[in-house]
Amino acid sequence: MLSIVEPGTNKVIDRFPLSTMGANEFAWAYICTFMQQGPSALPPPDPPRDHNDVPWYNIGLRLAPKVKWPADMDLESRTAP
């Protein structure tokens, strides 16, 4: 369980059950690195992937409707704040 507390207190604001998110010891190491050294110590994120680019062997995803976002939402999701 990862808990977020109010700065300078022990009051819990939110909790994240890591085990139900599929997290393992590598996720915990990532979290610890962030908490101890900050975001600059983490590896850069992978580039966004195209959700319409699915593996040839996954028939369910190949037959599913293609993802088409509204133009303004697509632009917002691909640009930095």
Side-chain angles (χ1 to χ4, degrees):
M1 181 71 68
L2 178 64
S3 298
I4 299 175
V5 298
E6 254 182 41
T9 72
N10 289 328
K11 181 181 177 192
V12 176
I13 299 171
D14 205 352
R15 287 190 171 98
F16 298 92
L18 297 176
S19 60
T20 59
M21 295 169 36
N24 56 20
E25 64 272 8
F26 299 110
W28 182 244
Y30 192 89
I31 292 165
C32 287
T33 301
F34 174 79
M35 291 188 298
Q36 294 170 356
Q37 300 174 31
S40 62
L42 300 175
D46 292 333
R49 67 182 191 93
D50 181 359
H51 291 283
N52 290 321
D53 185 17
V54 297
W56 65 269
Y57 54 82
N58 192 325
I59 190 73
L61 289 179
R62 287 182 32 216
L63 295 175
K66 299 297 180 202
V67 176
K68 178 105 172 96
W69 295 102
D72 56 336
M73 187 180 292
D74 186 52
L75 177 64
E76 181 181 344
S77 71
R78 294 174 188 270
T79 56

